[in-house]
Amino acid sequence: MLKVKTVALFSALAIMLTGCSSGNERLIDRPSPEIEVTAEEFEKEYGFSPSIPEGVEEVQYIIDTDTHRGFVGFYEGEVLWNIKVLKTEEFKDIGTPYFYEGTTEIDCFIDSNQDLTVHGVEPQLNCYMNQYSEDNVDYSAVAMWFIEDDGLMITLVSLSDEPVHTMPVEVFDSV
């Protein structure tokens, strides 16, 4: 019986320390580590500011002060594009999205005449189909480059209702 009570006590302490609860209330309230910044502040932090194509909508620059990752998001037509940046000395996967039970890796069909080289580096390219239900599907393409000379890991990730066939790699022209 003591063993059961001890396990119950440690479980209760673990729940309190991790901030878990049975309701929706927050046990610990802290400010978000993600701060919205300007293009200039983003450039000061990472040494470049993405060359955002004309005509895009909802451009947002964010720096995560916990992970030190930069994020730029924008819509180009019906496609949501996310740029992620991290100063690092080695390749790190900072682009692969969360995988759902219904996520499947698929072949990428990027137009053969599009050069995906950034700063002399070919990307690691992966494409995925995310099926949430029978009639709810979306697609993502993830291109990752490690720019060793600059100590930067950069990614370009799409999210759309149809697979993409081109990627706006010109956003990295200023790298």
Side-chain angles (χ1 to χ4, degrees), residues 64-99:
D64 184 320
T65 58
D66 277 353
T67 64
H68 305 289
R69 293 181 178 160
F71 168 87
V72 180
F74 61 89
Y75 281 92
E76 186 174 42
E78 298 295 314
V79 180
L80 171 62
W81 290 101
N82 292 313
I83 298 166
K84 298 176 184 177
V85 182
L86 177 67
K87 290 181 181 179
T88 182
E89 297 302 315
E90 60 188 23
F91 181 96
K92 292 187 180 187
D93 184 343
I94 63 168
T96 303
Y98 174 76
F99 289 112

PDB file of all heavy atoms in Angstrom, residues 64-99:
ATOM      1  N   ASP A  64      12.485  33.603 -32.376  1.00  0.00           N
ATOM      2  CA  ASP A  64      12.225  32.820 -31.174  1.00  0.00           C
ATOM      3  C   ASP A  64      13.434  32.989 -30.268  1.00  0.00           C
ATOM      4  O   ASP A  64      14.519  32.502 -30.570  1.00  0.00           O
ATOM      5  CB  ASP A  64      12.010  31.346 -31.537  1.00  0.00           C
ATOM      6  CG  ASP A  64      11.628  30.502 -30.336  1.00  0.00           C
ATOM      7  OD1 ASP A  64      12.200  30.717 -29.238  1.00  0.00           O
ATOM      8  OD2 ASP A  64      10.762  29.629 -30.488  1.00  0.00           O
ATOM      9  N   THR A  65      13.239  33.685 -29.162  1.00  0.00           N
ATOM     10  CA  THR A  65      14.353  34.004 -28.270  1.00  0.00           C
ATOM     11  C   THR A  65      14.832  32.793 -27.473  1.00  0.00           C
ATOM     12  O   THR A  65      15.926  32.821 -26.926  1.00  0.00           O
ATOM     13  CB  THR A  65      13.974  35.143 -27.303  1.00  0.00           C
ATOM     14  OG1 THR A  65      12.819  34.756 -26.547  1.00  0.00           O
ATOM     15  CG2 THR A  65      13.684  36.428 -28.067  1.00  0.00           C
ATOM     16  N   ASP A  66      14.031  31.722 -27.407  1.00  0.00           N
ATOM     17  CA  ASP A  66      14.465  30.489 -26.728  1.00  0.00           C
ATOM     18  C   ASP A  66      15.365  29.652 -27.629  1.00  0.00           C
ATOM     19  O   ASP A  66      16.418  29.184 -27.204  1.00  0.00           O
ATOM     20  CB  ASP A  66      13.270  29.633 -26.297  1.00  0.00           C
ATOM     21  CG  ASP A  66      12.674  30.071 -24.975  1.00  0.00           C
ATOM     22  OD1 ASP A  66      13.240  30.951 -24.302  1.00  0.00           O
ATOM     23  OD2 ASP A  66      11.608  29.521 -24.617  1.00  0.00           O
ATOM     24  N   THR A  67      14.942  29.432 -28.873  1.00  0.00           N
ATOM     25  CA  THR A  67      15.687  28.549 -29.785  1.00  0.00           C
ATOM     26  C   THR A  67      16.632  29.322 -30.698  1.00  0.00           C
ATOM     27  O   THR A  67      17.422  28.714 -31.406  1.00  0.00           O
ATOM     28  CB  THR A  67      14.727  27.731 -30.661  1.00  0.00           C
ATOM     29  OG1 THR A  67      13.988  28.625 -31.509  1.00  0.00           O
ATOM     30  CG2 THR A  67      13.782  26.890 -29.814  1.00  0.00           C
ATOM     31  N   HIS A  68      16.513  30.642 -30.721  1.00  0.00           N
ATOM     32  CA  HIS A  68      17.319  31.529 -31.559  1.00  0.00           C
ATOM     33  C   HIS A  68      17.067  31.294 -33.051  1.00  0.00           C
ATOM     34  O   HIS A  68      17.934  31.551 -33.877  1.00  0.00           O
ATOM     35  CB  HIS A  68      18.811  31.412 -31.225  1.00  0.00           C
ATOM     36  CG  HIS A  68      19.080  31.644 -29.776  1.00  0.00           C
ATOM     37  ND1 HIS A  68      18.969  32.877 -29.195  1.00  0.00           N
ATOM     38  CD2 HIS A  68      19.401  30.777 -28.784  1.00  0.00           C
ATOM     39  CE1 HIS A  68      19.231  32.776 -27.908  1.00  0.00           C
ATOM     40  NE2 HIS A  68      19.489  31.515 -27.626  1.00  0.00           N
ATOM     41  N   ARG A  69      15.905  30.788 -33.371  1.00  0.00           N
ATOM     42  CA  ARG A  69      15.528  30.568 -34.766  1.00  0.00           C
ATOM     43  C   ARG A  69      14.739  31.754 -35.271  1.00  0.00           C
ATOM     44  O   ARG A  69      13.946  32.341 -34.549  1.00  0.00           O
ATOM     45  CB  ARG A  69      14.678  29.306 -34.893  1.00  0.00           C
ATOM     46  CG  ARG A  69      15.489  28.079 -34.585  1.00  0.00           C
ATOM     47  CD  ARG A  69      14.675  26.828 -34.733  1.00  0.00           C
ATOM     48  NE  ARG A  69      15.566  25.701 -34.460  1.00  0.00           N
ATOM     49  CZ  ARG A  69      15.177  24.513 -34.125  1.00  0.00           C
ATOM     50  NH1 ARG A  69      13.905  24.254 -34.036  1.00  0.00           N
ATOM     51  NH2 ARG A  69      16.041  23.563 -33.897  1.00  0.00           N
ATOM     52  N   GLY A  70      14.995  32.080 -36.535  1.00  0.00           N
ATOM     53  CA  GLY A  70      14.233  33.124 -37.194  1.00  0.00           C
ATOM     54  C   GLY A  70      13.171  32.493 -38.070  1.00  0.00           C
ATOM     55  O   GLY A  70      13.333  31.375 -38.571  1.00  0.00           O
ATOM     56  N   PHE A  71      12.101  33.212 -38.266  1.00  0.00           N
ATOM     57  CA  PHE A  71      10.974  32.717 -39.046  1.00  0.00           C
ATOM     58  C   PHE A  71      10.397  33.871 -39.853  1.00  0.00           C
ATOM     59  O   PHE A  71      10.198  34.960 -39.324  1.00  0.00           O
ATOM     60  CB  PHE A  71       9.922  32.154 -38.078  1.00  0.00           C
ATOM     61  CG  PHE A  71       8.593  31.873 -38.704  1.00  0.00           C
ATOM     62  CD1 PHE A  71       8.348  30.657 -39.313  1.00  0.00           C
ATOM     63  CD2 PHE A  71       7.592  32.815 -38.673  1.00  0.00           C
ATOM     64  CE1 PHE A  71       7.119  30.391 -39.892  1.00  0.00           C
ATOM     65  CE2 PHE A  71       6.358  32.570 -39.244  1.00  0.00           C
ATOM     66  CZ  PHE A  71       6.120  31.346 -39.856  1.00  0.00           C
ATOM     67  N   VAL A  72      10.168  33.630 -41.132  1.00  0.00           N
ATOM     68  CA  VAL A  72       9.465  34.591 -41.971  1.00  0.00           C
ATOM     69  C   VAL A  72       8.365  33.814 -42.673  1.00  0.00           C
ATOM     70  O   VAL A  72       8.627  32.778 -43.297  1.00  0.00           O
ATOM     71  CB  VAL A  72      10.389  35.255 -43.011  1.00  0.00           C
ATOM     72  CG1 VAL A  72       9.611  36.243 -43.874  1.00  0.00           C
ATOM     73  CG2 VAL A  72      11.566  35.942 -42.336  1.00  0.00           C
ATOM     74  N   GLY A  73       7.153  34.283 -42.565  1.00  0.00           N
ATOM     75  CA  GLY A  73       6.029  33.626 -43.209  1.00  0.00           C
ATOM     76  C   GLY A  73       5.328  34.587 -44.151  1.00  0.00           C
ATOM     77  O   GLY A  73       5.274  35.787 -43.887  1.00  0.00           O
ATOM     78  N   PHE A  74       4.806  34.048 -45.250  1.00  0.00           N
ATOM     79  CA  PHE A  74       4.029  34.863 -46.183  1.00  0.00           C
ATOM     80  C   PHE A  74       3.190  33.962 -47.076  1.00  0.00           C
ATOM     81  O   PHE A  74       3.476  32.777 -47.240  1.00  0.00           O
ATOM     82  CB  PHE A  74       4.933  35.766 -47.039  1.00  0.00           C
ATOM     83  CG  PHE A  74       5.923  35.030 -47.906  1.00  0.00           C
ATOM     84  CD1 PHE A  74       5.595  34.621 -49.195  1.00  0.00           C
ATOM     85  CD2 PHE A  74       7.202  34.751 -47.433  1.00  0.00           C
ATOM     86  CE1 PHE A  74       6.517  33.947 -49.992  1.00  0.00           C
ATOM     87  CE2 PHE A  74       8.126  34.077 -48.224  1.00  0.00           C
ATOM     88  CZ  PHE A  74       7.780  33.676 -49.506  1.00  0.00           C
ATOM     89  N   TYR A  75       2.123  34.541 -47.621  1.00  0.00           N
ATOM     90  CA  TYR A  75       1.289  33.848 -48.595  1.00  0.00           C
ATOM     91  C   TYR A  75       1.615  34.354 -49.982  1.00  0.00           C
ATOM     92  O   TYR A  75       1.664  35.564 -50.217  1.00  0.00           O
ATOM     93  CB  TYR A  75      -0.204  34.105 -48.333  1.00  0.00           C
ATOM     94  CG  TYR A  75      -0.762  33.270 -47.220  1.00  0.00           C
ATOM     95  CD1 TYR A  75      -0.774  33.741 -45.913  1.00  0.00           C
ATOM     96  CD2 TYR A  75      -1.275  32.006 -47.477  1.00  0.00           C
ATOM     97  CE1 TYR A  75      -1.295  32.972 -44.885  1.00  0.00           C
ATOM     98  CE2 TYR A  75      -1.802  31.229 -46.455  1.00  0.00           C
ATOM     99  CZ  TYR A  75      -1.811  31.720 -45.173  1.00  0.00           C
ATOM    100  OH  TYR A  75      -2.319  30.955 -44.153  1.00  0.00           O
ATOM    101  N   GLU A  76       1.832  33.416 -50.892  1.00  0.00           N
ATOM    102  CA  GLU A  76       1.991  33.735 -52.309  1.00  0.00           C
ATOM    103  C   GLU A  76       0.865  32.975 -53.005  1.00  0.00           C
ATOM    104  O   GLU A  76       0.936  31.752 -53.153  1.00  0.00           O
ATOM    105  CB  GLU A  76       3.363  33.295 -52.815  1.00  0.00           C
ATOM    106  CG  GLU A  76       3.641  33.716 -54.237  1.00  0.00           C
ATOM    107  CD  GLU A  76       5.060  33.386 -54.656  1.00  0.00           C
ATOM    108  OE1 GLU A  76       5.558  32.286 -54.322  1.00  0.00           O
ATOM    109  OE2 GLU A  76       5.664  34.238 -55.309  1.00  0.00           O
ATOM    110  N   GLY A  77      -0.195  33.712 -53.347  1.00  0.00           N
ATOM    111  CA  GLY A  77      -1.391  33.058 -53.865  1.00  0.00           C
ATOM    112  C   GLY A  77      -2.015  32.220 -52.763  1.00  0.00           C
ATOM    113  O   GLY A  77      -2.230  32.682 -51.648  1.00  0.00           O
ATOM    114  N   GLU A  78      -2.265  30.966 -53.063  1.00  0.00           N
ATOM    115  CA  GLU A  78      -2.881  30.052 -52.104  1.00  0.00           C
ATOM    116  C   GLU A  78      -1.855  29.253 -51.294  1.00  0.00           C
ATOM    117  O   GLU A  78      -2.232  28.361 -50.542  1.00  0.00           O
ATOM    118  CB  GLU A  78      -3.804  29.078 -52.840  1.00  0.00           C
ATOM    119  CG  GLU A  78      -4.955  29.746 -53.564  1.00  0.00           C
ATOM    120  CD  GLU A  78      -5.931  30.419 -52.609  1.00  0.00           C
ATOM    121  OE1 GLU A  78      -6.301  29.778 -51.603  1.00  0.00           O
ATOM    122  OE2 GLU A  78      -6.304  31.577 -52.859  1.00  0.00           O
ATOM    123  N   VAL A  79      -0.573  29.552 -51.463  1.00  0.00           N
ATOM    124  CA  VAL A  79       0.480  28.779 -50.804  1.00  0.00           C
ATOM    125  C   VAL A  79       1.068  29.581 -49.635  1.00  0.00           C
ATOM    126  O   VAL A  79       1.456  30.736 -49.791  1.00  0.00           O
ATOM    127  CB  VAL A  79       1.613  28.408 -51.793  1.00  0.00           C
ATOM    128  CG1 VAL A  79       2.705  27.603 -51.089  1.00  0.00           C
ATOM    129  CG2 VAL A  79       1.059  27.642 -52.989  1.00  0.00           C
ATOM    130  N   LEU A  80       1.115  28.942 -48.483  1.00  0.00           N
ATOM    131  CA  LEU A  80       1.797  29.521 -47.324  1.00  0.00           C
ATOM    132  C   LEU A  80       3.254  29.092 -47.394  1.00  0.00           C
ATOM    133  O   LEU A  80       3.555  27.900 -47.488  1.00  0.00           O
ATOM    134  CB  LEU A  80       1.178  29.025 -46.014  1.00  0.00           C
ATOM    135  CG  LEU A  80       1.929  29.391 -44.727  1.00  0.00           C
ATOM    136  CD1 LEU A  80       2.000  30.903 -44.534  1.00  0.00           C
ATOM    137  CD2 LEU A  80       1.286  28.715 -43.525  1.00  0.00           C
ATOM    138  N   TRP A  81       4.170  30.071 -47.382  1.00  0.00           N
ATOM    139  CA  TRP A  81       5.607  29.789 -47.387  1.00  0.00           C
ATOM    140  C   TRP A  81       6.187  30.203 -46.052  1.00  0.00           C
ATOM    141  O   TRP A  81       5.879  31.280 -45.531  1.00  0.00           O
ATOM    142  CB  TRP A  81       6.311  30.561 -48.505  1.00  0.00           C
ATOM    143  CG  TRP A  81       5.969  30.041 -49.850  1.00  0.00           C
ATOM    144  CD1 TRP A  81       5.061  30.584 -50.735  1.00  0.00           C
ATOM    145  CD2 TRP A  81       6.497  28.877 -50.485  1.00  0.00           C
ATOM    146  NE1 TRP A  81       4.997  29.811 -51.868  1.00  0.00           N
ATOM    147  CE2 TRP A  81       5.873  28.760 -51.746  1.00  0.00           C
ATOM    148  CE3 TRP A  81       7.428  27.917 -50.104  1.00  0.00           C
ATOM    149  CZ2 TRP A  81       6.162  27.727 -52.626  1.00  0.00           C
ATOM    150  CZ3 TRP A  81       7.718  26.884 -50.971  1.00  0.00           C
ATOM    151  CH2 TRP A  81       7.091  26.797 -52.221  1.00  0.00           C
ATOM    152  N   ASN A  82       7.033  29.346 -45.500  1.00  0.00           N
ATOM    153  CA  ASN A  82       7.735  29.631 -44.250  1.00  0.00           C
ATOM    154  C   ASN A  82       9.233  29.523 -44.496  1.00  0.00           C
ATOM    155  O   ASN A  82       9.705  28.515 -45.022  1.00  0.00           O
ATOM    156  CB  ASN A  82       7.341  28.645 -43.153  1.00  0.00           C
ATOM    157  CG  ASN A  82       5.916  28.814 -42.726  1.00  0.00           C
ATOM    158  OD1 ASN A  82       5.467  29.912 -42.484  1.00  0.00           O
ATOM    159  ND2 ASN A  82       5.186  27.717 -42.640  1.00  0.00           N
ATOM    160  N   ILE A  83       9.946  30.554 -44.118  1.00  0.00           N
ATOM    161  CA  ILE A  83      11.405  30.562 -44.149  1.00  0.00           C
ATOM    162  C   ILE A  83      11.849  30.410 -42.704  1.00  0.00           C
ATOM    163  O   ILE A  83      11.341  31.101 -41.818  1.00  0.00           O
ATOM    164  CB  ILE A  83      11.936  31.902 -44.708  1.00  0.00           C
ATOM    165  CG1 ILE A  83      11.460  32.102 -46.131  1.00  0.00           C
ATOM    166  CG2 ILE A  83      13.448  31.984 -44.586  1.00  0.00           C
ATOM    167  CD1 ILE A  83      11.641  33.535 -46.632  1.00  0.00           C
ATOM    168  N   LYS A  84      12.786  29.505 -42.469  1.00  0.00           N
ATOM    169  CA  LYS A  84      13.333  29.333 -41.126  1.00  0.00           C
ATOM    170  C   LYS A  84      14.848  29.462 -41.204  1.00  0.00           C
ATOM    171  O   LYS A  84      15.465  28.993 -42.154  1.00  0.00           O
ATOM    172  CB  LYS A  84      12.931  27.972 -40.557  1.00  0.00           C
ATOM    173  CG  LYS A  84      11.422  27.826 -40.409  1.00  0.00           C
ATOM    174  CD  LYS A  84      11.029  26.459 -39.937  1.00  0.00           C
ATOM    175  CE  LYS A  84       9.519  26.327 -39.905  1.00  0.00           C
ATOM    176  NZ  LYS A  84       9.102  24.983 -39.515  1.00  0.00           N
ATOM    177  N   VAL A  85      15.425  30.101 -40.199  1.00  0.00           N
ATOM    178  CA  VAL A  85      16.859  30.378 -40.187  1.00  0.00           C
ATOM    179  C   VAL A  85      17.415  30.087 -38.798  1.00  0.00           C
ATOM    180  O   VAL A  85      16.788  30.391 -37.791  1.00  0.00           O
ATOM    181  CB  VAL A  85      17.134  31.867 -40.528  1.00  0.00           C
ATOM    182  CG1 VAL A  85      18.615  32.156 -40.563  1.00  0.00           C
ATOM    183  CG2 VAL A  85      16.466  32.278 -41.820  1.00  0.00           C
ATOM    184  N   LEU A  86      18.605  29.501 -38.778  1.00  0.00           N
ATOM    185  CA  LEU A  86      19.297  29.247 -37.510  1.00  0.00           C
ATOM    186  C   LEU A  86      20.784  29.407 -37.740  1.00  0.00           C
ATOM    187  O   LEU A  86      21.336  28.857 -38.693  1.00  0.00           O
ATOM    188  CB  LEU A  86      19.010  27.824 -37.012  1.00  0.00           C
ATOM    189  CG  LEU A  86      19.725  27.386 -35.736  1.00  0.00           C
ATOM    190  CD1 LEU A  86      19.231  28.187 -34.530  1.00  0.00           C
ATOM    191  CD2 LEU A  86      19.534  25.893 -35.498  1.00  0.00           C
ATOM    192  N   LYS A  87      21.440  30.179 -36.872  1.00  0.00           N
ATOM    193  CA  LYS A  87      22.900  30.246 -36.897  1.00  0.00           C
ATOM    194  C   LYS A  87      23.419  28.971 -36.265  1.00  0.00           C
ATOM    195  O   LYS A  87      23.049  28.636 -35.138  1.00  0.00           O
ATOM    196  CB  LYS A  87      23.401  31.461 -36.119  1.00  0.00           C
ATOM    197  CG  LYS A  87      23.120  32.784 -36.772  1.00  0.00           C
ATOM    198  CD  LYS A  87      23.680  33.917 -35.926  1.00  0.00           C
ATOM    199  CE  LYS A  87      23.388  35.250 -36.537  1.00  0.00           C
ATOM    200  NZ  LYS A  87      23.919  36.349 -35.707  1.00  0.00           N
ATOM    201  N   THR A  88      24.265  28.240 -36.997  1.00  0.00           N
ATOM    202  CA  THR A  88      24.761  26.961 -36.500  1.00  0.00           C
ATOM    203  C   THR A  88      26.036  26.579 -37.227  1.00  0.00           C
ATOM    204  O   THR A  88      26.313  27.089 -38.315  1.00  0.00           O
ATOM    205  CB  THR A  88      23.703  25.845 -36.675  1.00  0.00           C
ATOM    206  OG1 THR A  88      24.210  24.623 -36.139  1.00  0.00           O
ATOM    207  CG2 THR A  88      23.329  25.647 -38.114  1.00  0.00           C
ATOM    208  N   GLU A  89      26.779  25.711 -36.635  1.00  0.00           N
ATOM    209  CA  GLU A  89      28.020  25.225 -37.240  1.00  0.00           C
ATOM    210  C   GLU A  89      27.843  23.872 -37.925  1.00  0.00           C
ATOM    211  O   GLU A  89      28.800  23.323 -38.453  1.00  0.00           O
ATOM    212  CB  GLU A  89      29.120  25.144 -36.179  1.00  0.00           C
ATOM    213  CG  GLU A  89      29.473  26.495 -35.571  1.00  0.00           C
ATOM    214  CD  GLU A  89      29.920  27.522 -36.612  1.00  0.00           C
ATOM    215  OE1 GLU A  89      30.720  27.179 -37.495  1.00  0.00           O
ATOM    216  OE2 GLU A  89      29.452  28.676 -36.524  1.00  0.00           O
ATOM    217  N   GLU A  90      26.629  23.328 -37.890  1.00  0.00           N
ATOM    218  CA  GLU A  90      26.385  22.028 -38.505  1.00  0.00           C
ATOM    219  C   GLU A  90      24.956  21.955 -39.044  1.00  0.00           C
ATOM    220  O   GLU A  90      24.088  22.732 -38.640  1.00  0.00           O
ATOM    221  CB  GLU A  90      26.616  20.899 -37.501  1.00  0.00           C
ATOM    222  CG  GLU A  90      25.721  20.981 -36.305  1.00  0.00           C
ATOM    223  CD  GLU A  90      26.075  19.985 -35.214  1.00  0.00           C
ATOM    224  OE1 GLU A  90      27.227  19.525 -35.164  1.00  0.00           O
ATOM    225  OE2 GLU A  90      25.189  19.679 -34.404  1.00  0.00           O
ATOM    226  N   PHE A  91      24.722  21.001 -39.944  1.00  0.00           N
ATOM    227  CA  PHE A  91      23.391  20.793 -40.507  1.00  0.00           C
ATOM    228  C   PHE A  91      22.434  20.384 -39.395  1.00  0.00           C
ATOM    229  O   PHE A  91      22.728  19.502 -38.603  1.00  0.00           O
ATOM    230  CB  PHE A  91      23.434  19.681 -41.567  1.00  0.00           C
ATOM    231  CG  PHE A  91      22.096  19.430 -42.213  1.00  0.00           C
ATOM    232  CD1 PHE A  91      21.781  20.029 -43.405  1.00  0.00           C
ATOM    233  CD2 PHE A  91      21.152  18.602 -41.625  1.00  0.00           C
ATOM    234  CE1 PHE A  91      20.550  19.809 -44.012  1.00  0.00           C
ATOM    235  CE2 PHE A  91      19.923  18.373 -42.204  1.00  0.00           C
ATOM    236  CZ  PHE A  91      19.616  18.978 -43.406  1.00  0.00           C
ATOM    237  N   LYS A  92      21.286  21.061 -39.330  1.00  0.00           N
ATOM    238  CA  LYS A  92      20.228  20.711 -38.387  1.00  0.00           C
ATOM    239  C   LYS A  92      18.903  20.791 -39.124  1.00  0.00           C
ATOM    240  O   LYS A  92      18.666  21.730 -39.868  1.00  0.00           O
ATOM    241  CB  LYS A  92      20.200  21.675 -37.196  1.00  0.00           C
ATOM    242  CG  LYS A  92      21.402  21.547 -36.310  1.00  0.00           C
ATOM    243  CD  LYS A  92      21.261  22.378 -35.070  1.00  0.00           C
ATOM    244  CE  LYS A  92      22.516  22.195 -34.238  1.00  0.00           C
ATOM    245  NZ  LYS A  92      22.438  22.797 -32.964  1.00  0.00           N
ATOM    246  N   ASP A  93      18.067  19.816 -38.897  1.00  0.00           N
ATOM    247  CA  ASP A  93      16.748  19.799 -39.519  1.00  0.00           C
ATOM    248  C   ASP A  93      15.854  20.788 -38.782  1.00  0.00           C
ATOM    249  O   ASP A  93      15.362  20.490 -37.699  1.00  0.00           O
ATOM    250  CB  ASP A  93      16.158  18.396 -39.474  1.00  0.00           C
ATOM    251  CG  ASP A  93      14.830  18.302 -40.198  1.00  0.00           C
ATOM    252  OD1 ASP A  93      14.204  19.343 -40.463  1.00  0.00           O
ATOM    253  OD2 ASP A  93      14.417  17.168 -40.484  1.00  0.00           O
ATOM    254  N   ILE A  94      15.681  21.956 -39.360  1.00  0.00           N
ATOM    255  CA  ILE A  94      14.810  22.965 -38.743  1.00  0.00           C
ATOM    256  C   ILE A  94      13.573  23.212 -39.593  1.00  0.00           C
ATOM    257  O   ILE A  94      12.825  24.142 -39.339  1.00  0.00           O
ATOM    258  CB  ILE A  94      15.556  24.290 -38.495  1.00  0.00           C
ATOM    259  CG1 ILE A  94      16.021  24.923 -39.804  1.00  0.00           C
ATOM    260  CG2 ILE A  94      16.693  24.103 -37.517  1.00  0.00           C
ATOM    261  CD1 ILE A  94      16.499  26.359 -39.657  1.00  0.00           C
ATOM    262  N   GLY A  95      13.335  22.356 -40.585  1.00  0.00           N
ATOM    263  CA  GLY A  95      12.227  22.615 -41.487  1.00  0.00           C
ATOM    264  C   GLY A  95      11.154  21.572 -41.537  1.00  0.00           C
ATOM    265  O   GLY A  95      10.022  21.870 -41.894  1.00  0.00           O
ATOM    266  N   THR A  96      11.478  20.344 -41.192  1.00  0.00           N
ATOM    267  CA  THR A  96      10.492  19.283 -41.348  1.00  0.00           C
ATOM    268  C   THR A  96       9.308  19.547 -40.424  1.00  0.00           C
ATOM    269  O   THR A  96       9.475  19.734 -39.223  1.00  0.00           O
ATOM    270  CB  THR A  96      11.112  17.907 -41.038  1.00  0.00           C
ATOM    271  OG1 THR A  96      12.230  17.719 -41.907  1.00  0.00           O
ATOM    272  CG2 THR A  96      10.108  16.797 -41.265  1.00  0.00           C
ATOM    273  N   PRO A  97       8.111  19.559 -40.997  1.00  0.00           N
ATOM    274  CA  PRO A  97       6.922  19.835 -40.182  1.00  0.00           C
ATOM    275  C   PRO A  97       6.571  18.663 -39.284  1.00  0.00           C
ATOM    276  O   PRO A  97       7.098  17.566 -39.428  1.00  0.00           O
ATOM    277  CB  PRO A  97       5.827  20.056 -41.235  1.00  0.00           C
ATOM    278  CG  PRO A  97       6.296  19.326 -42.444  1.00  0.00           C
ATOM    279  CD  PRO A  97       7.804  19.345 -42.397  1.00  0.00           C
ATOM    280  N   TYR A  98       5.668  18.927 -38.375  1.00  0.00           N
ATOM    281  CA  TYR A  98       5.155  17.883 -37.490  1.00  0.00           C
ATOM    282  C   TYR A  98       4.465  16.817 -38.342  1.00  0.00           C
ATOM    283  O   TYR A  98       3.707  17.128 -39.243  1.00  0.00           O
ATOM    284  CB  TYR A  98       4.159  18.492 -36.498  1.00  0.00           C
ATOM    285  CG  TYR A  98       3.473  17.472 -35.636  1.00  0.00           C
ATOM    286  CD1 TYR A  98       4.142  16.888 -34.575  1.00  0.00           C
ATOM    287  CD2 TYR A  98       2.171  17.077 -35.889  1.00  0.00           C
ATOM    288  CE1 TYR A  98       3.532  15.939 -33.776  1.00  0.00           C
ATOM    289  CE2 TYR A  98       1.548  16.127 -35.103  1.00  0.00           C
ATOM    290  CZ  TYR A  98       2.234  15.565 -34.046  1.00  0.00           C
ATOM    291  OH  TYR A  98       1.631  14.623 -33.262  1.00  0.00           O
ATOM    292  N   PHE A  99       4.743  15.568 -38.085  1.00  0.00           N
ATOM    293  CA  PHE A  99       4.125  14.483 -38.830  1.00  0.00           C
ATOM    294  C   PHE A  99       2.870  13.998 -38.120  1.00  0.00           C
ATOM    295  O   PHE A  99       2.908  13.665 -36.938  1.00  0.00           O
ATOM    296  CB  PHE A  99       5.091  13.304 -38.995  1.00  0.00           C
ATOM    297  CG  PHE A  99       6.210  13.608 -39.943  1.00  0.00           C
ATOM    298  CD1 PHE A  99       7.505  13.724 -39.487  1.00  0.00           C
ATOM    299  CD2 PHE A  99       5.967  13.787 -41.296  1.00  0.00           C
ATOM    300  CE1 PHE A  99       8.536  14.003 -40.359  1.00  0.00           C
ATOM    301  CE2 PHE A  99       6.989  14.070 -42.172  1.00  0.00           C
ATOM    302  CZ  PHE A  99       8.280  14.188 -41.711  1.00  0.00           C
TER     303      PHE A  99
END
